[in-house]
Amino acid sequence: MILDLFFPNRCIECSRIIDSDLLVCSLCFEQIHFTHFDYSGDNIIREKCKLLFPIENTYALMRFEQDSLSQKIIHELKYKSRENAGKTLAEWTKERLNFNEEKPDILVSVPLHPKKLKERGYNQLHVFTETLSTFYHIPFDHELIQRNHYSKAQALKDKQHRLETTNPFSLSKSISGKHILLIDDVFTTGSTVSSIAWEILNAGDNKVSVLVMAVDV
């Protein structure tokens, strides 16, 4: 395409010209710290989640380290309008994640508040989730969970707003007897997935697993 001639796609790490559907060049790809987690085994996310809610299985694609390439990739997706980067991350996930006998029933991504969605123009998790849905033949549901409050920087929140955000999520429909794979971009403290997990668990005889693009260790 003519645009590719004048504005070629470049590796986000070293700026080499690369194919339009890539994020990084082959050399920089080797710098990505993939976790190699076992989905049904023990890992740092599973240990943290076990302290917060009943968890089935957990997986993270990459390690999210300060100033690392994985951090740059997530920021490209989340803040620099590289929505289609979610497809590349899903392809990397498919090459490494085997559900074995623990295949979930539904893929559910952490939602944005409608105001935040309007500001950003897209949910950075949707393309990732939809691509995984196609790969693994698992349905997704972007409407199951809704975020109830618009999130501001903590320093800007008054006391009442902080109280409101203690219950930031709710279910939009009833669900029971399902194994939900909850998808987020970065796992840090686990507070977000925990809030959503309890909504799902309290709704009926459900199970929750967690998949994230990266874990902050």
Side-chain angles (χ1 to χ4, degrees):
M1 295 176 63
I2 294 178
L3 285 178
D4 293 335
L5 294 175
F6 291 99
F7 303 101
N9 186 40
R10 294 182 179 275
C11 172
I12 63 174
E13 177 69 0
C14 69
S15 296
R16 287 187 180 91
I17 295 176
I18 54 178
D19 290 347
S20 60
D21 58 342
L22 298 179
L23 290 173
V24 296
C25 68
S26 59
L27 292 176
C28 291
F29 180 81
E30 301 300 322
Q31 300 178 31
I32 300 174
H33 294 166
F34 292 108
T35 67
H36 307 292
F37 282 175
D38 178 358
Y39 172 72
S40 56
D42 289 328
N43 56 60
I44 189 172
I45 300 178
R46 184 182 179 87
E47 292 305 310
K48 288 185 177 182
C49 286
K50 283 166 63 176
L51 299 175
L52 300 171
F53 62 93
I55 184 70
E56 297 298 317
N57 307 293
T58 53
Y59 183 81
L61 175 64
M62 305 177 292
R63 297 185 183 277
F64 188 85
E65 298 153 329
Q66 190 68 28
D67 298 322
S68 67
L69 182 51
S70 60
Q71 184 188 56
K72 292 181 181 179
I73 290 169
I74 298 295
H75 283 191
E76 286 286 318
L77 170 68
K78 195 169 182 178
Y79 302 116
K80 297 188 177 180
S81 301
R82 291 285 292 269
E83 182 180 9
N84 209 44
K87 182 177 179 181
T88 299
L89 288 165
E91 290 170 348
W92 294 348
T93 301
K94 178 179 179 291
E95 294 169 358
R96 293 164 177 80
L97 172 60
N98 188 340
F99 288 119
N100 297 315
E101 302 301 317
E102 300 290 334
K103 190 174 180 177
D105 299 311
I106 307 173
L107 307 182
V108 174
S109 54
V110 173
L112 296 177
H113 186 272
K115 184 176 179 181
K116 178 65 69 67
L117 182 61
K118 185 176 181 180
E119 290 173 354
R120 187 173 295 169
Y122 63 96
N123 182 321
Q124 72 274 10
L125 298 172
H126 282 182
V127 169
F128 179 75
T129 301
E130 291 160 14
T131 306
L132 290 179
S133 174
T134 300
F135 285 154
Y136 292 108
H137 305 289
I138 303 172
F140 65 87
D141 189 341
H142 292 328
E143 308 301 326
L144 178 63
I145 303 295
Q146 60 185 20
R147 189 183 289 264
N148 298 321
H149 307 295
Y150 177 71
S151 177
K152 300 178 181 178
Q154 188 68 31
L156 300 178
K157 296 176 183 177
D158 57 23
K159 181 178 180 180
Q160 181 59 38
H161 190 76
R162 288 196 296 272
L163 290 174
E164 287 175 352
T165 55
T166 57
N167 295 298
F169 301 98
S170 61
L171 294 180
S172 63
K173 64 187 82 171
S174 60
I175 187 170
S176 183
K178 298 296 184 181
H179 182 182
I180 306 298
L181 182 61
L182 184 57
I183 297 173
D184 202 0
D185 47 20
V186 180
F187 185 100
T188 50
T189 64
S191 59
T192 296
V193 294
S194 178
S195 296
I196 297 175
W198 279 116
E199 293 295 324
I200 294 170
L201 294 168
N202 290 334
D205 184 24
N206 299 307
K207 298 189 295 184
V208 175
S209 292
V210 171
L211 185 159
V212 293
M213 297 173 178
V215 56
D216 189 345
V217 294

